[in-house]
Every structure is written in structure tokens, then in C-alpha cells.
Amino acid sequence: MTLGLINANPVVHAKKERVPRTEESHSHSDDCVDPLEIYDILFPDIRDPEHPYSLEQLSVLSEESITVDEKLGRILITFTPTIQHCSMAAVIGLCLRVKLKEFFPPHFKLDIKVAPGSHADEESVNKQLNDKERIAAALENPNLRQLVDECLYSCEI
């Protein structure tokens, strides 16, 4: 957690109860991906970089903000930072990308963006989140990689 909190008092929502999906409830073939499946993978356990809450509890992402185009092999994730000048937006996007890369084959093109109008530096953040060289460089930074790993693998939620 950072010392100087950008959003000292975020709005915290209750966690949604999840019904485990069975093979019968997943009507698609094994190769198909749907937004609910992605939502179930991303949520309950990705922690916000600044607070001891999950991204779900802070309403950073919703099922409606996930789009899958099977024909084009594209997944679009649009997330909403808790405040317009969130300095952790790039870290959140990086966490989403790392988590999804663990679960989906490389033939899927993954686009991660902040929701339109939700960040003061939207264009710059979106460019950073979808530039392969910037992503690779960020993950080579040991401090940034540690922060991402803490958000993804922390059991504190």
C-alpha cells in the first residue's frame, strides 16, 4: 500500500455472491469465452493497489465492461478508476492484463482501457496499457512487478 493515498475514502460496495459454474451451466464449447467467465476469473481476488479491497468492492470493473468477440479473437476490458486523477490506473490495468494472460491462450488479442471520461489522462493511460514494449518494461521493474504480484496474489481481501 502507498503512503500518500490518492483516494483516501473510496466508496466500498459489498461483494456479490457467486454461484459456482458447472459444465451444464456453461453452455458454450470449451474453446468459447464469455464475459461472465472473464469476470469470474478477474474478480474475487484482485486487490486494489492502494486499498485492502478488491476491484469488485470498489466497482472498478463490472460484467458489462467486458466484451468478447470470438470471431476476431478479441477481449476488451474497460475499467473505471475510483477517481479521475487515479495514479494507480496503469497498475490496475497491468494487473488485469497479467491475470488474463494466465488464463487465456495467446491468440486472443487483449485490449484494456479506462472507461471513456473516467480518467483525466485517459488517452495516455490507454496507450500505456496496450503498448507491448511498455508492458514488458513495466513488468521488468522489480518494484512494479512486486506491486502487481501483491494485488494478484495477496490473501488479505
Side-chain angles (χ1 to χ4, degrees):
M1 210 164 346
T2 60
L3 295 176
L5 297 177
I6 300 299
N7 184 6
N9 297 307
V11 176
V12 180
H13 304 272
K15 284 188 169 187
K16 295 178 183 176
E17 287 196 35
R18 297 268 179 256
V19 176
R21 295 178 75 181
T22 62
E23 288 302 316
E24 295 84 37
S25 67
H26 190 204
S27 60
H28 301 294
S29 72
D30 289 340
D31 294 336
C32 290
V33 177
D34 66 19
L36 182 59
E37 179 181 9
I38 295 170
Y39 188 82
D40 288 343
I41 288 169
L42 287 180
F43 279 137
D45 58 354
I46 297 181
R47 185 178 58 81
D48 182 80
E50 207 174 26
H51 300 285
Y53 303 111
S54 70
L55 296 181
E56 178 179 35
Q57 289 173 296
L58 297 175
S59 292
V60 171
L61 195 66
S62 67
E63 292 173 37
E64 296 77 28
S65 64
I66 301 169
T67 307
V68 177
D69 185 332
E70 284 284 338
K71 289 181 183 176
L72 295 177
R74 267 193 127 104
I75 299 172
L76 171 63
I77 308 286
T78 305
F79 69 96
T80 305
T82 58
I83 53 174
Q84 284 256 327
H85 52 280
C86 178
S87 64
M88 295 291 161
V91 175
I92 291 169
L94 195 57
C95 290
L96 297 174
R97 181 173 297 282
V98 169
K99 184 74 169 187
L100 283 170
K101 289 263 184 207
E102 292 176 2
F103 289 94
F104 294 103
H107 74 271
F108 276 100
K109 171 140 177 36
L110 180 58
D111 290 321
I112 298 176
K113 299 182 178 189
V114 294
S118 68
H119 196 278
D121 203 10
E122 177 183 334
E123 187 176 326
S124 175
V125 172
N126 287 342
K127 184 175 181 178
Q128 186 174 359
L129 292 176
N130 293 291
D131 183 303
K132 289 180 184 181
E133 290 178 9
R134 290 182 187 196
I135 293 164
L139 292 173
E140 288 175 4
N141 177 320
N143 294 328
L144 194 50
R145 184 62 202 217
Q146 180 181 353
L147 180 58
V148 168
D149 288 345
E150 287 172 5
C151 292
L152 294 177
Y153 308 114
S154 173
C155 298
E156 296 175 13
I157 299 176

PDB file of all heavy atoms in Angstrom, residues 6 13 18 31 41-43 45 51 55 57 60 65 67-68 75 82 91 94-95 97-98 102 120 122 137-138 155 157:
ATOM      1  N   ILE A   6      -4.137   8.578  -2.762  1.00  0.00           N
ATOM      2  CA  ILE A   6      -4.750   9.490  -3.711  1.00  0.00           C
ATOM      3  C   ILE A   6      -6.246   9.591  -3.422  1.00  0.00           C
ATOM      4  O   ILE A   6      -6.821  10.658  -3.457  1.00  0.00           O
ATOM      5  CB  ILE A   6      -4.519   8.994  -5.169  1.00  0.00           C
ATOM      6  CG1 ILE A   6      -3.025   8.902  -5.464  1.00  0.00           C
ATOM      7  CG2 ILE A   6      -5.223   9.884  -6.157  1.00  0.00           C
ATOM      8  CD1 ILE A   6      -2.259  10.198  -5.365  1.00  0.00           C
ATOM      9  N   HIS A  13     -18.278  -1.250  -1.868  1.00  0.00           N
ATOM     10  CA  HIS A  13     -19.532  -1.973  -2.086  1.00  0.00           C
ATOM     11  C   HIS A  13     -19.395  -3.388  -1.545  1.00  0.00           C
ATOM     12  O   HIS A  13     -18.299  -3.929  -1.456  1.00  0.00           O
ATOM     13  CB  HIS A  13     -19.867  -2.015  -3.582  1.00  0.00           C
ATOM     14  CG  HIS A  13     -19.925  -0.659  -4.199  1.00  0.00           C
ATOM     15  ND1 HIS A  13     -21.060   0.096  -4.230  1.00  0.00           N
ATOM     16  CD2 HIS A  13     -18.965   0.093  -4.788  1.00  0.00           C
ATOM     17  CE1 HIS A  13     -20.814   1.259  -4.820  1.00  0.00           C
ATOM     18  NE2 HIS A  13     -19.548   1.275  -5.172  1.00  0.00           N
ATOM     19  N   ARG A  18     -21.311 -15.359  -5.518  1.00  0.00           N
ATOM     20  CA  ARG A  18     -21.102 -16.055  -6.780  1.00  0.00           C
ATOM     21  C   ARG A  18     -21.620 -17.477  -6.687  1.00  0.00           C
ATOM     22  O   ARG A  18     -21.390 -18.169  -5.702  1.00  0.00           O
ATOM     23  CB  ARG A  18     -19.612 -16.116  -7.099  1.00  0.00           C
ATOM     24  CG  ARG A  18     -18.998 -14.776  -7.286  1.00  0.00           C
ATOM     25  CD  ARG A  18     -19.058 -14.418  -8.758  1.00  0.00           C
ATOM     26  NE  ARG A  18     -18.492 -13.105  -8.936  1.00  0.00           N
ATOM     27  CZ  ARG A  18     -19.217 -12.024  -9.146  1.00  0.00           C
ATOM     28  NH1 ARG A  18     -20.503 -12.087  -9.228  1.00  0.00           N
ATOM     29  NH2 ARG A  18     -18.659 -10.859  -9.295  1.00  0.00           N
ATOM     30  N   ASP A  31     -13.801 -24.069 -26.026  1.00  0.00           N
ATOM     31  CA  ASP A  31     -12.979 -23.018 -26.605  1.00  0.00           C
ATOM     32  C   ASP A  31     -13.627 -21.639 -26.508  1.00  0.00           C
ATOM     33  O   ASP A  31     -12.961 -20.641 -26.726  1.00  0.00           O
ATOM     34  CB  ASP A  31     -12.690 -23.325 -28.077  1.00  0.00           C
ATOM     35  CG  ASP A  31     -11.814 -24.566 -28.219  1.00  0.00           C
ATOM     36  OD1 ASP A  31     -11.094 -24.891 -27.262  1.00  0.00           O
ATOM     37  OD2 ASP A  31     -11.865 -25.190 -29.292  1.00  0.00           O
ATOM     38  N   ILE A  41     -13.061 -14.877 -13.354  1.00  0.00           N
ATOM     39  CA  ILE A  41     -11.613 -15.065 -13.228  1.00  0.00           C
ATOM     40  C   ILE A  41     -10.975 -13.831 -12.598  1.00  0.00           C
ATOM     41  O   ILE A  41     -10.143 -13.927 -11.708  1.00  0.00           O
ATOM     42  CB  ILE A  41     -10.978 -15.347 -14.608  1.00  0.00           C
ATOM     43  CG1 ILE A  41     -11.358 -16.752 -15.076  1.00  0.00           C
ATOM     44  CG2 ILE A  41      -9.454 -15.188 -14.550  1.00  0.00           C
ATOM     45  CD1 ILE A  41     -11.014 -17.020 -16.521  1.00  0.00           C
ATOM     46  N   LEU A  42     -11.364 -12.642 -13.064  1.00  0.00           N
ATOM     47  CA  LEU A  42     -10.737 -11.415 -12.588  1.00  0.00           C
ATOM     48  C   LEU A  42     -11.132 -11.065 -11.172  1.00  0.00           C
ATOM     49  O   LEU A  42     -10.339 -10.564 -10.404  1.00  0.00           O
ATOM     50  CB  LEU A  42     -11.133 -10.234 -13.479  1.00  0.00           C
ATOM     51  CG  LEU A  42     -10.497 -10.191 -14.841  1.00  0.00           C
ATOM     52  CD1 LEU A  42     -11.003  -8.971 -15.585  1.00  0.00           C
ATOM     53  CD2 LEU A  42      -8.996 -10.157 -14.745  1.00  0.00           C
ATOM     54  N   PHE A  43     -12.360 -11.257 -10.870  1.00  0.00           N
ATOM     55  CA  PHE A  43     -12.800 -10.798  -9.571  1.00  0.00           C
ATOM     56  C   PHE A  43     -12.569 -11.794  -8.530  1.00  0.00           C
ATOM     57  O   PHE A  43     -11.730 -11.546  -7.886  1.00  0.00           O
ATOM     58  CB  PHE A  43     -14.190 -10.304  -9.574  1.00  0.00           C
ATOM     59  CG  PHE A  43     -14.272  -8.941 -10.070  1.00  0.00           C
ATOM     60  CD1 PHE A  43     -15.241  -8.569 -10.928  1.00  0.00           C
ATOM     61  CD2 PHE A  43     -13.347  -7.991  -9.706  1.00  0.00           C
ATOM     62  CE1 PHE A  43     -15.326  -7.319 -11.390  1.00  0.00           C
ATOM     63  CE2 PHE A  43     -13.415  -6.726 -10.167  1.00  0.00           C
ATOM     64  CZ  PHE A  43     -14.406  -6.401 -11.003  1.00  0.00           C
ATOM     65  N   ASP A  45     -10.538 -11.876  -6.512  1.00  0.00           N
ATOM     66  CA  ASP A  45      -9.278 -11.804  -5.775  1.00  0.00           C
ATOM     67  C   ASP A  45      -8.263 -10.746  -6.199  1.00  0.00           C
ATOM     68  O   ASP A  45      -7.181 -10.708  -5.640  1.00  0.00           O
ATOM     69  CB  ASP A  45      -8.615 -13.175  -5.777  1.00  0.00           C
ATOM     70  CG  ASP A  45      -8.364 -13.695  -7.176  1.00  0.00           C
ATOM     71  OD1 ASP A  45      -8.796 -13.045  -8.131  1.00  0.00           O
ATOM     72  OD2 ASP A  45      -7.750 -14.754  -7.319  1.00  0.00           O
ATOM     73  N   HIS A  51      -5.676   0.198  -1.642  1.00  0.00           N
ATOM     74  CA  HIS A  51      -6.569  -0.110  -0.528  1.00  0.00           C
ATOM     75  C   HIS A  51      -6.696  -1.619  -0.333  1.00  0.00           C
ATOM     76  O   HIS A  51      -6.508  -2.378  -1.274  1.00  0.00           O
ATOM     77  CB  HIS A  51      -7.969   0.479  -0.784  1.00  0.00           C
ATOM     78  CG  HIS A  51      -7.957   1.954  -0.938  1.00  0.00           C
ATOM     79  ND1 HIS A  51      -7.811   2.808   0.120  1.00  0.00           N
ATOM     80  CD2 HIS A  51      -8.059   2.740  -2.035  1.00  0.00           C
ATOM     81  CE1 HIS A  51      -7.824   4.059  -0.311  1.00  0.00           C
ATOM     82  NE2 HIS A  51      -7.969   4.039  -1.618  1.00  0.00           N
ATOM     83  N   LEU A  55     -11.098  -5.139  -6.471  1.00  0.00           N
ATOM     84  CA  LEU A  55     -11.597  -4.252  -7.521  1.00  0.00           C
ATOM     85  C   LEU A  55     -13.119  -4.336  -7.610  1.00  0.00           C
ATOM     86  O   LEU A  55     -13.784  -3.366  -7.943  1.00  0.00           O
ATOM     87  CB  LEU A  55     -10.956  -4.601  -8.866  1.00  0.00           C
ATOM     88  CG  LEU A  55      -9.442  -4.407  -8.951  1.00  0.00           C
ATOM     89  CD1 LEU A  55      -8.943  -4.768 -10.342  1.00  0.00           C
ATOM     90  CD2 LEU A  55      -9.029  -3.009  -8.567  1.00  0.00           C
ATOM     91  N   GLN A  57     -15.157  -4.752  -4.994  1.00  0.00           N
ATOM     92  CA  GLN A  57     -15.713  -3.957  -3.910  1.00  0.00           C
ATOM     93  C   GLN A  57     -15.670  -2.462  -4.221  1.00  0.00           C
ATOM     94  O   GLN A  57     -16.491  -1.707  -3.715  1.00  0.00           O
ATOM     95  CB  GLN A  57     -14.947  -4.224  -2.606  1.00  0.00           C
ATOM     96  CG  GLN A  57     -15.219  -5.592  -2.025  1.00  0.00           C
ATOM     97  CD  GLN A  57     -14.315  -5.880  -0.842  1.00  0.00           C
ATOM     98  OE1 GLN A  57     -13.099  -5.967  -0.989  1.00  0.00           O
ATOM     99  NE2 GLN A  57     -14.923  -6.011   0.321  1.00  0.00           N
ATOM    100  N   VAL A  60     -14.667  -1.084  -9.752  1.00  0.00           N
ATOM    101  CA  VAL A  60     -13.738  -0.683 -10.803  1.00  0.00           C
ATOM    102  C   VAL A  60     -14.084  -1.388 -12.120  1.00  0.00           C
ATOM    103  O   VAL A  60     -13.867  -0.862 -13.197  1.00  0.00           O
ATOM    104  CB  VAL A  60     -12.283  -0.972 -10.372  1.00  0.00           C
ATOM    105  CG1 VAL A  60     -11.304  -0.782 -11.503  1.00  0.00           C
ATOM    106  CG2 VAL A  60     -11.914  -0.094  -9.183  1.00  0.00           C
ATOM    107  N   SER A  65     -18.650  -4.348 -18.551  1.00  0.00           N
ATOM    108  CA  SER A  65     -17.465  -3.688 -19.093  1.00  0.00           C
ATOM    109  C   SER A  65     -16.512  -4.664 -19.784  1.00  0.00           C
ATOM    110  O   SER A  65     -15.407  -4.310 -20.138  1.00  0.00           O
ATOM    111  CB  SER A  65     -16.740  -2.925 -17.985  1.00  0.00           C
ATOM    112  OG  SER A  65     -16.263  -3.817 -17.006  1.00  0.00           O
ATOM    113  N   THR A  67     -16.117  -7.226 -23.046  1.00  0.00           N
ATOM    114  CA  THR A  67     -16.650  -7.585 -24.356  1.00  0.00           C
ATOM    115  C   THR A  67     -15.758  -8.654 -24.977  1.00  0.00           C
ATOM    116  O   THR A  67     -14.534  -8.535 -24.946  1.00  0.00           O
ATOM    117  CB  THR A  67     -16.670  -6.351 -25.293  1.00  0.00           C
ATOM    118  OG1 THR A  67     -17.363  -5.295 -24.649  1.00  0.00           O
ATOM    119  CG2 THR A  67     -17.335  -6.671 -26.606  1.00  0.00           C
ATOM    120  N   VAL A  68     -16.397  -9.683 -25.520  1.00  0.00           N
ATOM    121  CA  VAL A  68     -15.653 -10.763 -26.173  1.00  0.00           C
ATOM    122  C   VAL A  68     -16.142 -10.880 -27.608  1.00  0.00           C
ATOM    123  O   VAL A  68     -17.340 -10.945 -27.857  1.00  0.00           O
ATOM    124  CB  VAL A  68     -15.859 -12.106 -25.438  1.00  0.00           C
ATOM    125  CG1 VAL A  68     -15.139 -13.229 -26.172  1.00  0.00           C
ATOM    126  CG2 VAL A  68     -15.385 -12.014 -23.997  1.00  0.00           C
ATOM    127  N   ILE A  75     -10.656  -9.651 -26.741  1.00  0.00           N
ATOM    128  CA  ILE A  75     -11.274  -9.391 -25.446  1.00  0.00           C
ATOM    129  C   ILE A  75     -11.004  -7.931 -25.114  1.00  0.00           C
ATOM    130  O   ILE A  75      -9.850  -7.490 -25.149  1.00  0.00           O
ATOM    131  CB  ILE A  75     -10.679 -10.294 -24.344  1.00  0.00           C
ATOM    132  CG1 ILE A  75     -10.914 -11.769 -24.669  1.00  0.00           C
ATOM    133  CG2 ILE A  75     -11.267  -9.929 -22.980  1.00  0.00           C
ATOM    134  CD1 ILE A  75     -10.190 -12.732 -23.733  1.00  0.00           C
ATOM    135  N   THR A  82     -11.426   4.747  -9.479  1.00  0.00           N
ATOM    136  CA  THR A  82     -12.311   5.319  -8.458  1.00  0.00           C
ATOM    137  C   THR A  82     -12.337   6.840  -8.485  1.00  0.00           C
ATOM    138  O   THR A  82     -13.291   7.442  -8.018  1.00  0.00           O
ATOM    139  CB  THR A  82     -11.900   4.849  -7.048  1.00  0.00           C
ATOM    140  OG1 THR A  82     -10.538   5.221  -6.814  1.00  0.00           O
ATOM    141  CG2 THR A  82     -12.071   3.349  -6.905  1.00  0.00           C
ATOM    142  N   VAL A  91      -1.401   0.634 -13.092  1.00  0.00           N
ATOM    143  CA  VAL A  91      -1.115  -0.575 -12.308  1.00  0.00           C
ATOM    144  C   VAL A  91      -2.324  -1.508 -12.327  1.00  0.00           C
ATOM    145  O   VAL A  91      -2.179  -2.721 -12.499  1.00  0.00           O
ATOM    146  CB  VAL A  91      -0.718  -0.215 -10.855  1.00  0.00           C
ATOM    147  CG1 VAL A  91      -0.554  -1.476 -10.011  1.00  0.00           C
ATOM    148  CG2 VAL A  91       0.562   0.613 -10.831  1.00  0.00           C
ATOM    149  N   LEU A  94      -2.455  -3.145 -15.655  1.00  0.00           N
ATOM    150  CA  LEU A  94      -1.390  -4.139 -15.746  1.00  0.00           C
ATOM    151  C   LEU A  94      -1.777  -5.407 -14.987  1.00  0.00           C
ATOM    152  O   LEU A  94      -1.552  -6.526 -15.471  1.00  0.00           O
ATOM    153  CB  LEU A  94      -0.094  -3.542 -15.193  1.00  0.00           C
ATOM    154  CG  LEU A  94       1.204  -4.262 -15.495  1.00  0.00           C
ATOM    155  CD1 LEU A  94       1.427  -4.428 -16.992  1.00  0.00           C
ATOM    156  CD2 LEU A  94       2.367  -3.506 -14.869  1.00  0.00           C
ATOM    157  N   CYS A  95      -2.389  -5.258 -13.836  1.00  0.00           N
ATOM    158  CA  CYS A  95      -2.868  -6.418 -13.062  1.00  0.00           C
ATOM    159  C   CYS A  95      -3.895  -7.216 -13.868  1.00  0.00           C
ATOM    160  O   CYS A  95      -3.841  -8.453 -13.915  1.00  0.00           O
ATOM    161  CB  CYS A  95      -3.495  -5.970 -11.741  1.00  0.00           C
ATOM    162  SG  CYS A  95      -2.321  -5.338 -10.537  1.00  0.00           S
ATOM    163  N   ARG A  97      -4.225  -7.341 -17.102  1.00  0.00           N
ATOM    164  CA  ARG A  97      -3.549  -7.997 -18.224  1.00  0.00           C
ATOM    165  C   ARG A  97      -2.787  -9.243 -17.768  1.00  0.00           C
ATOM    166  O   ARG A  97      -2.898 -10.312 -18.373  1.00  0.00           O
ATOM    167  CB  ARG A  97      -2.593  -7.019 -18.914  1.00  0.00           C
ATOM    168  CG  ARG A  97      -1.869  -7.624 -20.108  1.00  0.00           C
ATOM    169  CD  ARG A  97      -1.073  -6.600 -20.875  1.00  0.00           C
ATOM    170  NE  ARG A  97      -1.899  -5.572 -21.459  1.00  0.00           N
ATOM    171  CZ  ARG A  97      -2.613  -5.720 -22.575  1.00  0.00           C
ATOM    172  NH1 ARG A  97      -2.612  -6.880 -23.217  1.00  0.00           N
ATOM    173  NH2 ARG A  97      -3.330  -4.728 -23.045  1.00  0.00           N
ATOM    174  N   VAL A  98      -2.021  -9.126 -16.693  1.00  0.00           N
ATOM    175  CA  VAL A  98      -1.245 -10.260 -16.196  1.00  0.00           C
ATOM    176  C   VAL A  98      -2.173 -11.409 -15.803  1.00  0.00           C
ATOM    177  O   VAL A  98      -1.925 -12.564 -16.130  1.00  0.00           O
ATOM    178  CB  VAL A  98      -0.331  -9.839 -15.018  1.00  0.00           C
ATOM    179  CG1 VAL A  98       0.269 -11.048 -14.323  1.00  0.00           C
ATOM    180  CG2 VAL A  98       0.764  -8.899 -15.517  1.00  0.00           C
ATOM    181  N   GLU A 102      -2.690 -15.345 -17.776  1.00  0.00           N
ATOM    182  CA  GLU A 102      -2.549 -16.644 -17.125  1.00  0.00           C
ATOM    183  C   GLU A 102      -3.616 -17.636 -17.583  1.00  0.00           C
ATOM    184  O   GLU A 102      -3.413 -18.840 -17.522  1.00  0.00           O
ATOM    185  CB  GLU A 102      -2.662 -16.500 -15.604  1.00  0.00           C
ATOM    186  CG  GLU A 102      -1.535 -15.766 -14.944  1.00  0.00           C
ATOM    187  CD  GLU A 102      -1.756 -15.572 -13.451  1.00  0.00           C
ATOM    188  OE1 GLU A 102      -2.783 -16.042 -12.907  1.00  0.00           O
ATOM    189  OE2 GLU A 102      -0.896 -14.939 -12.829  1.00  0.00           O
ATOM    190  N   ALA A 120      -8.584  11.547 -16.047  1.00  0.00           N
ATOM    191  CA  ALA A 120      -8.128  12.831 -16.575  1.00  0.00           C
ATOM    192  C   ALA A 120      -7.116  12.667 -17.709  1.00  0.00           C
ATOM    193  O   ALA A 120      -7.048  13.498 -18.612  1.00  0.00           O
ATOM    194  CB  ALA A 120      -7.532  13.672 -15.449  1.00  0.00           C
ATOM    195  N   GLU A 122      -6.887   9.933 -19.858  1.00  0.00           N
ATOM    196  CA  GLU A 122      -7.418   8.716 -20.478  1.00  0.00           C
ATOM    197  C   GLU A 122      -6.596   8.218 -21.667  1.00  0.00           C
ATOM    198  O   GLU A 122      -6.233   7.049 -21.735  1.00  0.00           O
ATOM    199  CB  GLU A 122      -8.859   9.005 -20.913  1.00  0.00           C
ATOM    200  CG  GLU A 122      -9.558   7.909 -21.627  1.00  0.00           C
ATOM    201  CD  GLU A 122     -10.954   8.327 -22.070  1.00  0.00           C
ATOM    202  OE1 GLU A 122     -11.569   9.210 -21.456  1.00  0.00           O
ATOM    203  OE2 GLU A 122     -11.422   7.750 -23.065  1.00  0.00           O
ATOM    204  N   ALA A 137       8.425  -3.568 -20.253  1.00  0.00           N
ATOM    205  CA  ALA A 137       9.323  -2.759 -19.421  1.00  0.00           C
ATOM    206  C   ALA A 137       8.771  -2.622 -18.005  1.00  0.00           C
ATOM    207  O   ALA A 137       9.510  -2.714 -17.025  1.00  0.00           O
ATOM    208  CB  ALA A 137       9.530  -1.383 -20.053  1.00  0.00           C
ATOM    209  N   ALA A 138       7.469  -2.413 -17.887  1.00  0.00           N
ATOM    210  CA  ALA A 138       6.853  -2.274 -16.566  1.00  0.00           C
ATOM    211  C   ALA A 138       7.025  -3.556 -15.757  1.00  0.00           C
ATOM    212  O   ALA A 138       7.332  -3.513 -14.567  1.00  0.00           O
ATOM    213  CB  ALA A 138       5.370  -1.926 -16.710  1.00  0.00           C
ATOM    214  N   CYS A 155      -3.672 -12.500  -0.069  1.00  0.00           N
ATOM    215  CA  CYS A 155      -4.830 -13.172   0.552  1.00  0.00           C
ATOM    216  C   CYS A 155      -5.482 -12.266   1.566  1.00  0.00           C
ATOM    217  O   CYS A 155      -6.236 -12.725   2.425  1.00  0.00           O
ATOM    218  CB  CYS A 155      -4.390 -14.476   1.216  1.00  0.00           C
ATOM    219  SG  CYS A 155      -3.723 -15.657   0.055  1.00  0.00           S
ATOM    220  N   ILE A 157      -7.785  -9.933   1.238  1.00  0.00           N
ATOM    221  CA  ILE A 157      -9.147  -9.419   0.969  1.00  0.00           C
ATOM    222  C   ILE A 157     -10.163 -10.141   1.808  1.00  0.00           C
ATOM    223  O   ILE A 157     -10.194 -11.302   1.909  1.00  0.00           O
ATOM    224  CB  ILE A 157      -9.492  -9.529  -0.527  1.00  0.00           C
ATOM    225  CG1 ILE A 157      -8.516  -8.693  -1.332  1.00  0.00           C
ATOM    226  CG2 ILE A 157     -10.908  -9.052  -0.795  1.00  0.00           C
ATOM    227  CD1 ILE A 157      -8.689  -8.790  -2.826  1.00  0.00           C
TER     228      ILE A 157
END
